[in-house]
Amino acid sequence: MTVPILADAVFPEPARYAELCVTSNFSFLRGASHPEELVTRAAALGLDAIAITDRNSLAGVVRAFSALKEIRRTAEEGIQIRSHSQIDSSSRQETSTTPPLTVALSRRLPRLIVGARLVLQDSPVEWVALPTDRAAYERLSQLLTLGKRRAEKGDCHLNHADLLAAATGLILIALPRPFMTACGSQADICKTARAHIRVLRQDAPGHIFLGAAPRYDGTDQAWFRTCAQAAHSLAAPMIAVGDVLMHHAGRRRLADVLTCLREGCTIDQIGTRALPNGERRLKAPEDMARLYRHHPAALRRTLEIATRCSFDLAELSYEYPDEIADGESPQERLERLTYKGLQNRYPAGIPEHAMALAEKELKLIRKLDFPAYFLTVHDIIQFARSRHILCQGRGSAANSIICYALGITDVGPETITMVSERFISEHRGEPPDIDVDFEHERREEVIQYVYEKYGRHRAGLCATVIHFRTRAAIREVGKVMGLNVDVTAALSGQIWGSSNSGPEETRMKEIGLDLSNPRICQTIELIKEIIGFPRHLSQHVGGFVITQGRLDALCPIENAAMENRTVIEWDKDDIDALGILKVDLLSLGMLTCIRKCFDLLDTHHGRQLTLGTVPQGDTTTYDMLCKADAIGVFQVESRAQMNFLPRMRPREFYDLVIEVAIVRPGPIQGGMVHPYINRRQGKEKISFPSKALEEVLGKTLGVPLFQEQAMQIAVVAAGFTPSEADKLRRSMATFRRMGTIGQLKDKFISGMLERGYELEFAQNCFSQIEGFGEYGFPESHAAAFAMLAYVSAYLKCHFPAEFACALLNSQPMGFYAPAQIVRDAREHQVEVRPICVNTSAWDNTLERRSDGALALRLGFRQIKGLREEDADWIVAARGNGYPDTETLWLRTGVPPATLERLAEADAFSGMGLSRRAALWQVKTIRSPKPLPLFNDPIDGEAIFEPDVLLPAMHLGQEVVEDYLSTRLTLRAHPMELLRPHIPHLTPHDRLPVLSPARHVMFRSAASSSPASALARLQVSSS
């Protein structure tokens, strides 16, 4: 019997699809999903490719690129995203909390296509622009820059002619807005849209397509037929697009809330602007195949276009300015400047360890090709110092001996343990991060220097993404959902700090919210969903990106809200992901204060100081700090620091390094403060489990306080390589967000066990490291800040008048108001003189007393509402002084309102005028001579207003007026006025001698005196 041969079973090929039109939430207040969510969802759905096409923007593409890169990186461990086979095709049962499923390693991950959705001002057609190669990407970026530089921040003005000029190499998918025909039976494409498509097709044949997006209103098949007919007549092939707004249908409600925020309406007023359903989501290829079942070619073309769009963000070959000068290569110049700087730092001879560190860094810099970066920072530093702008490097730059040699930082290898891997790592392959602080009043000069040297086409500030935090989310979503102001205020009042966790159920019940109310429940859910969404782009505090070629070929550039500033669309995380170098030019108020204090020392004492020449190890300065006399001292002036100083009792510079770092959330949460202080005070024995760890933790008494120490522990005690230790450091900074530090825990503990350490000790070490992962303070950063803390403390200790004057002239800054600074200066025996129109300048100044000491004269800047321009006129026209208020007005021409502010501030007291008398006089100054009241009926002569004897103000009124006009007083502390009205008052300086458990009562007098406003206080000491 012959057995028949059966033919192979024929199975239909699985559907394939590439989504080429996706709007992320970086199309601000439009897209309802993060780029990371979109690419992860695309991988789970099995899409061949996904194009992130935000509205006139490339702001979200790097987030998608990084997410897809991370998915690929972890593919060998199993990708934690939902697999395509587990997705319900209707998506009506999908939720963001659906547990992830591991995608099979055989599944091909989607390609990311970079693109933008171009909205033109003179066309009814919106265009999805997808670059096919690097050159086309550059043209797209420059096109977006053109439109953004024409417009105000956040807008983009492009027209059809602009697109026509930049179309080469771009795949352009037209998305015409449908309109209803005369009979109203079927949507069509208007003549203007057809004309624009036809013009572009003629200019770029083979690159123009007509996008057919579903409308989800029951007429999709008819609409597709219309698009197909139009595509045939225009010779622009039809292509399927999803016009996606969200990664799954569960975001439909949030999409409507975003629409309300954009349109300025409530959810009850949204009307037809609401999404009719949740279909504008990413769909599986099978779903799209069913939807376009009569137009399979439209689906197939998505794959063809995805193949043609070969550009990848990894191709962006960032080129830093070469900084070649006089034919000397950047590496040669850097080495020359480094050795010259080391010779200046060590005039008696460069120590061997310093030379070894320098050679190690130079070798690594040569290998990674970063010498030009250091030369740029050096050039900026040199410019600042040529203009006498004080600057100081901080952060990881203090871990670099090259930065020390180049004068970028004054923290040397003798001060801290330099861990060069913290600064620059061969394994990490990322550029070093150099942060330089400049005087906050003069940093703009440095910023404009960078723009002028490199040009705005080669230099721009990074962006900062402003996200919805809890308070803003409550306020905005509550308004959209129709909650009244009282409810949203009550909800916001339950949020502490900058929390991103959303409102807690227990707290909502405490304020009386009815959680069974559907509207309330929906609002709370939406608040939690929108937290973390980008709201808009702002400018980074000072991160500059500088390029050898055109910066707008790398990323679009837009105008900043601040005049003469331009900003790229990517933030610091984005440029880090692409390996783009950034120079951080930051501002610091204390540098302004120190520089002004140095200037005052030069003017009044002929003493020239710099940060590097301030005498170190001054005993008197440390004595002052041990007494917590630290008002105005950088970094140690907070109440927490001042409480800790007498316990810490710093006696050397490294004590200040620890002081700066230890009073931080991270060390406190990691349980490091009490063990350290107990060991320092001798209450706890200092011990080390090994000699190797004693070398690492010796300076911090066996307690790890810094990121560098965590890295060293990992190397010497757990067997990590320096690169793995740097990975641990990076995980510390992000573990709460990413959960990555746990992956290194087993390796860390097992490494310590292999080297003979006890399990409990190993676990404690890792717990401490993990504890301050929330705020892992680098030793190098603490040392840079401690340097400024010491300098400011030295100036306050030895030159209190000069320091107080500089501090007042540098406001606003620090923890303390001018009134407290003035009060502190007087407590340090500094004479403070009042504002006077005949002696004061705009700034506070110093005047020589008869005994040779200096007195502090308050300046016009202390007067609320007084313009600096008016103050300059008063000083310029003063000559030998003003005899009266009218003369001042005639000479200066300042407006009467300025005279009134001067009178209210008692600035005419030098003329012998009281506050009331001066105010009376300046209010009459409206014309050169006073007008007569009326004529005498007998002789007809004019009668003028007689002189008025005004009642004198009592001390309490003067004090109140001082605070109202200048925010401080030199007359009396308010408590001096209240004490006489408080019976049985016990002065605070007697509290330490009172017996324990004694109650001290403060009672207000039952009268109309100011003390009647005091509540009864009860102070208990034990």
Side-chain angles (χ1 to χ4, degrees):
M1 180 177 179
T2 304
V3 179
I5 300 176
L6 300 177
D8 292 338
V10 178
F11 297 98
E13 292 185 3
R16 295 176 61 190
Y17 174 63
E19 182 53 74
L20 302 179
C21 182
V22 178
T23 299
S24 80
N25 55 12
F26 277 82
S27 291
F28 302 106
L29 302 184
R30 282 184 166 82
S33 292
H34 295 279
E36 298 92 335
E37 293 174 324
L38 290 163
V39 296
T40 304
R41 179 69 168 163
L45 288 168
L47 298 182
D48 279 62
I50 178 173
I52 302 297
T53 55
D54 285 314
R55 183 183 177 91
N56 292 333
S57 175
L58 296 174
V61 294
V62 182
R63 306 295 174 97
F65 171 78
S66 299
L68 203 54
K69 185 178 178 181
E70 182 67 14
I71 292 173
R72 288 196 180 99
R73 189 185 68 81
T74 58
E76 295 300 325
E77 303 169 8
I79 307 172
Q80 293 300 303
I81 55 178
R82 280 181 288 172
S83 102
H84 166 61
S85 61
Q86 303 293 328
I87 297 171
D88 178 53
S89 60
S90 68
S91 290
R92 299 191 181 277
Q93 297 178 355
E94 293 174 357
T95 66
S96 58
T97 58
T98 302
L101 299 173
T102 302
V103 173
L105 294 180
S106 59
R107 178 176 298 283
R108 184 174 61 180
L109 295 177
R111 283 189 54 247
L112 174 66
I113 299 175
V114 175
R117 183 171 183 150
L118 305 179
V119 181
L120 310 180
Q121 290 194 305
D122 60 349
S123 175
V125 183
E126 295 183 2
W127 295 89
V128 173
L130 307 175
T132 57
D133 53 25
R134 170 72 187 271
Y137 171 82
E138 292 180 0
R139 282 189 287 273
L140 175 61
S141 179
Q142 290 171 347
L143 174 66
L144 292 170
T145 299
L146 175 67
K148 291 173 182 292
R149 291 301 308 276
R150 286 174 179 166
E152 294 183 354
K153 178 186 177 299
D155 208 348
C156 183
H157 293 170
L158 290 172
N159 54 49
H160 185 71
D162 299 325
L163 178 58
L164 194 62
T168 305
L170 293 176
I171 297 293
L172 294 172
I173 302 173
L175 301 175
R177 302 186 188 99
F179 77 103
M180 301 307 295
T181 58
C183 62
S185 60
Q186 182 178 322
D188 201 354
I189 300 174
C190 70
K191 292 181 179 180
T192 306
R194 289 173 181 267
H196 285 182
I197 296 171
R198 188 174 288 110
V199 169
L200 270 169
R201 184 199 53 79
Q202 292 173 352
D203 192 69
H207 285 71
I208 310 302
F209 297 84
L210 179 65
R215 300 170 62 206
Y216 306 113
D217 59 356
T219 63
D220 283 342
Q221 298 307 317
W223 169 240
F224 292 160
R225 286 194 295 272
T226 299
C227 290
Q229 292 169 2
H232 180 74
S233 64
L234 295 170
M238 173 179 156
I239 187 171
V241 292
D243 199 6
V244 172
L245 286 178
M246 48 198 163
H247 70 295
H248 68 74
R251 288 285 172 83
R252 174 191 169 190
R253 292 185 307 176
L254 184 59
D256 288 340
V257 168
L258 294 173
T259 299
C260 290
L261 289 174
R262 187 178 72 249
E263 299 292 336
C265 63
T266 67
I267 200 69
D268 298 311
Q269 300 167 339
I270 190 172
T272 57
R273 290 170 289 189
L275 292 178
N277 47 53
E279 294 300 317
R280 290 184 65 178
R281 56 179 172 82
L282 281 176
K283 290 186 173 65
E286 291 82 356
D287 293 336
M288 295 301 288
R290 283 193 294 270
L291 195 59
Y292 290 86
R293 56 189 176 276
H294 301 304
H295 306 277
L299 222 61
R300 186 178 62 251
R301 290 190 187 103
T302 65
L303 305 177
E304 296 171 358
I305 290 177
T307 302
R308 292 174 62 183
C309 295
S310 60
F311 171 73
D312 190 283
L313 281 176
E315 296 178 35
L316 290 181
S317 54
Y318 170 71
E319 295 180 0
Y320 196 80
D322 52 35
E323 301 292 353
I324 295 175
D326 300 326
E328 191 176 24
S329 72
Q331 183 71 27
E332 292 171 347
R333 185 178 167 209
L334 178 63
E335 292 177 0
R336 176 175 58 80
L337 291 173
T338 297
Y339 293 131
K340 180 180 178 182
L342 288 175
Q343 290 170 359
N344 294 334
R345 292 287 193 181
Y346 302 102
I350 304 173
E352 290 184 7
H353 74 282
M355 182 62 75
L357 282 172
E359 290 176 351
K360 177 183 177 181
E361 286 189 29
L362 287 170
K363 182 179 179 181
L364 193 56
I365 289 168
R366 177 191 292 274
K367 186 172 184 178
L368 297 177
D369 195 24
F370 290 146
Y373 177 70
F374 289 86
L375 295 176
T376 298
V377 179
H378 176 260
D379 174 70
I380 294 171
I381 293 288
Q382 292 299 106
F383 166 79
R385 288 178 177 155
S386 71
R387 297 290 183 93
H388 304 290
I389 301 172
L390 207 59
C391 54
Q392 164 80 2
R394 60 162 157 133
S396 61
N399 255 318
S400 167
I401 195 169
I402 290 181
C403 290
Y404 179 62
L406 297 179
I408 297 170
T409 177
D410 289 314
V411 179
E414 299 79 15
T415 305
I416 63 171
T417 303
M418 287 189 169
V419 182
S420 58
E421 287 80 11
R422 171 67 181 87
F423 176 62
I424 183 170
S425 169
E426 179 181 359
H427 169 77
R428 195 163 70 238
E430 294 177 357
D433 184 19
I434 299 181
D435 300 336
V436 184
D437 289 314
F438 298 88
E439 300 174 34
H440 76 302
E441 290 183 356
R442 302 189 64 189
R443 181 181 64 138
E444 190 63 25
E445 297 177 41
V446 182
I447 288 176
Q448 293 305 321
Y449 167 74
V450 174
Y451 278 128
E452 290 169 9
K453 178 177 179 179
Y454 296 99
R456 292 184 182 273
H457 64 293
R458 294 176 57 203
L461 287 166
C462 293
T464 293
V465 181
I466 305 302
H467 297 90
F468 279 98
R469 293 186 179 272
T470 303
R471 290 181 185 274
I474 291 172
R475 183 176 61 252
E476 299 287 354
V477 176
K479 188 189 303 180
V480 167
M481 296 298 289
L483 301 188
N484 61 46
V485 177
D486 293 335
V487 173
T488 55
L491 274 173
S492 297
Q494 304 304 307
I495 305 302
W496 294 88
S498 57
S499 167
N500 284 327
S501 58
E504 296 180 9
E505 184 175 336
T506 54
R507 292 188 176 274
M508 290 187 288
K509 290 180 179 178
E510 288 174 3
I511 62 175
L513 286 183
D514 180 10
L515 297 184
S516 64
N517 185 319
R519 180 62 66 96
I520 296 291
C521 292
Q522 285 184 354
T523 303
I524 299 303
E525 291 172 5
L526 289 166
I527 287 170
K528 292 180 178 180
E529 275 191 323
I530 204 173
I531 290 172
F533 262 54
R535 183 65 175 84
H536 62 272
L537 290 181
S538 182
Q539 64 179 13
H540 190 268
V541 291
F544 253 108
V545 174
I546 308 171
T547 57
Q548 176 71 18
R550 292 186 63 90
L551 176 59
D552 59 5
L554 194 70
C555 177
I557 303 173
E558 66 178 18
N559 297 318
M562 191 172 183
E563 190 177 0
N564 292 326
R565 297 272 188 96
T566 48
V567 184
I568 67 172
E569 283 192 335
W570 295 338
D571 72 358
K572 62 182 184 63
D573 293 331
D574 296 333
I575 64 173
D576 283 347
L578 297 176
I580 297 173
L581 290 170
K582 149 175 86 70
V583 180
D584 280 319
L585 310 181
L586 309 175
S587 64
L588 195 62
M590 181 49 66
L591 285 175
T592 304
C593 173
I594 291 174
R595 196 265 305 165
K596 290 184 177 182
C597 192
F598 285 166
D599 289 347
L600 290 171
L601 293 178
D602 189 15
T603 301
H604 294 281
H605 304 285
R607 184 172 180 180
Q608 297 180 343
L609 284 180
T610 65
L611 291 176
T613 60
V614 171
Q616 298 294 309
D618 182 68
T619 303
T620 311
T621 300
Y622 286 112
D623 290 340
M624 180 190 77
L625 291 175
C626 289
K627 295 183 292 186
D629 184 3
I631 289 180
V633 178
F634 183 62
Q635 285 290 301
V636 295
E637 64 178 340
S638 70
R639 290 298 179 193
Q641 290 279 8
M642 290 171 70
N643 286 331
F644 194 75
L645 278 168
R647 301 168 63 196
M648 179 72 183
R649 299 192 61 79
R651 303 307 306 171
E652 59 183 25
F653 178 74
Y654 198 78
D655 292 342
L656 283 182
V657 177
I658 295 174
E659 175 77 28
V660 167
I662 200 169
V663 186
R664 300 279 171 177
I668 292 172
Q669 292 175 9
M672 303 172 190
V673 177
H674 291 297
Y676 176 83
I677 204 66
N678 288 338
R679 295 181 184 192
R680 185 176 178 87
Q681 294 177 350
K683 298 177 181 179
E684 185 177 313
K685 184 181 178 181
I686 302 174
S687 61
F688 303 95
S690 69
K691 188 67 177 176
L693 282 183
E694 183 177 357
E695 295 178 1
V696 175
L697 302 176
K699 291 194 293 185
T700 56
L701 308 183
V703 179
L705 295 178
F706 304 110
Q707 287 183 355
E708 292 90 341
Q709 287 179 312
M711 294 173 64
Q712 289 174 296
I713 291 172
V715 172
V716 303
F720 280 45
T721 65
S723 297
E724 290 174 330
D726 182 66
K727 183 179 179 181
L728 175 64
R729 191 269 309 173
R730 292 163 64 82
S731 296
M732 283 192 299
T734 59
F735 86 93
R736 185 173 183 181
R737 177 170 56 89
M738 301 295 293
T740 54
I741 199 171
Q743 300 171 4
L744 300 171
K745 182 175 182 178
D746 292 340
K747 180 178 176 62
F748 183 92
I749 293 177
S750 62
M752 292 192 71
L753 293 178
E754 290 172 4
R755 284 157 183 79
Y757 296 97
E758 295 181 358
L759 176 62
E760 183 179 358
F761 177 75
Q763 291 175 336
N764 288 339
C765 277
F766 193 85
S767 296
Q768 285 183 314
I769 292 171
E770 192 175 24
F772 68 96
E774 173 74 8
Y775 199 105
F777 212 73
E779 183 187 24
S780 54
H781 186 75
F785 271 10
M787 180 72 70
L788 298 182
Y790 175 80
V791 170
S792 58
Y794 178 87
L795 295 174
K796 176 183 172 67
C797 179
H798 294 278
F799 307 100
E802 293 86 341
F803 183 71
C805 183
L807 200 57
L808 288 170
N809 289 338
S810 303
Q811 294 297 308
M813 57 172 286
F815 284 81
Y816 297 101
Q820 294 164 299
I821 296 170
V822 167
R823 191 178 306 123
D824 181 68
R826 298 176 81 180
E827 290 176 358
H828 286 79
Q829 312 308 314
V830 175
E831 179 188 353
V832 183
R833 296 174 176 175
I835 302 169
C836 176
V837 293
N838 281 325
T839 53
S840 290
W842 169 253
D843 278 335
N844 302 278
T845 55
L846 297 175
E847 299 174 352
R848 187 70 66 179
R849 302 195 326 178
S850 57
D851 62 357
L854 292 173
L856 171 59
R857 171 71 70 179
L858 296 180
F860 293 124
R861 67 157 54 230
Q862 304 303 145
I863 301 176
K864 286 197 296 186
L866 190 71
R867 298 189 309 164
E868 185 176 0
E869 180 183 357
D870 291 338
D872 291 342
W873 277 110
I874 292 171
V875 174
R878 185 156 54 201
N880 293 326
Y882 301 107
D884 51 52
T885 57
E886 185 175 0
T887 302
L888 185 148
W889 177 60
L890 292 173
R891 284 191 199 171
T892 63
V894 296
T898 297
L899 298 178
E900 291 181 16
R901 288 190 177 92
L902 291 168
E904 290 168 350
D906 204 17
F908 293 106
S909 59
M911 299 177 182
L913 294 174
S914 67
R915 179 181 265 117
R916 276 182 174 165
L919 191 59
W920 186 271
Q921 286 192 15
V922 299
K923 282 185 176 292
T924 65
I925 297 179
R926 302 293 177 181
S927 59
K929 293 182 179 180
L931 297 174
L933 297 177
F934 49 83
N935 292 333
D936 190 291
I938 299 176
D939 56 17
E941 293 185 1
I943 298 177
F944 292 90
E945 182 178 355
D947 292 335
V948 177
L949 182 62
L950 299 171
M953 298 174 67
H954 60 68
L955 183 58
Q957 291 174 319
E958 295 279 12
V959 169
V960 170
E961 290 300 321
D962 284 343
Y963 276 104
L964 289 174
S965 58
T966 63
R967 297 176 288 262
L968 59 90
T969 184
L970 302 180
R971 290 180 167 83
H973 193 284
M975 279 305 300
E976 294 181 34
L977 308 176
L978 299 177
R979 271 197 195 99
H981 302 282
I982 305 176
H984 313 297
L985 176 67
T986 302
H988 73 279
D989 56 0
R990 282 188 49 78
L991 293 178
V993 301
L994 297 179
S995 60
R998 176 180 173 181
H999 289 77
V1000 183
M1001 305 296 294
F1002 293 87
R1003 298 179 184 274
S1004 61
S1007 66
S1008 59
S1009 67
S1012 63
L1014 290 177
R1016 187 166 70 179
L1017 304 176
Q1018 188 178 60
V1019 178
S1020 174
S1021 61
S1022 59

